[in-house]
Amino acid sequence: MDTSVVAELTGNIATVGYGLAAIGPAIGVGIVVGKTIEGTARQPELGGRLQTLMYIGIAFTEALALIGIATYYIFQG
């Protein structure tokens, strides 16, 4: 009896990697939006400027998720 193989995994580990990589941008977007709401509550007259900066921050944060998707497809095949 061969006991050297405990378990056999099938599939691609890149799927798990992308799932873990998507957690970072999700947390980042939550922090950016939360701090923007906090800043607008403190100084309502800066709401428009803060909203613009929030959208730029979200774009940069979501770029990390896009890099994760690209990495998944690179290592998939």
Side-chain angles (χ1 to χ4, degrees):
M1 177 174 187
D2 185 20
T3 59
S4 62
V5 177
V6 177
E8 182 180 345
L9 296 177
T10 60
N12 194 345
I13 195 69
T15 306
V16 176
Y18 175 67
L20 293 174
I23 293 172
I27 293 171
V29 168
I31 291 172
V32 167
V33 172
K35 292 297 181 177
T36 302
I37 292 171
E38 182 180 329
T40 303
R42 289 176 185 251
Q43 292 185 332
E45 65 274 6
L46 292 178
R49 182 176 288 172
L50 290 174
Q51 185 177 9
T52 302
L53 291 173
M54 177 190 71
Y55 287 137
I56 292 171
I58 288 173
F60 284 132
T61 306
E62 286 299 322
L64 296 173
L66 294 176
I67 290 171
I69 290 173
T71 305
Y72 168 73
Y73 284 114
I74 288 171
F75 291 120
Q76 183 182 15

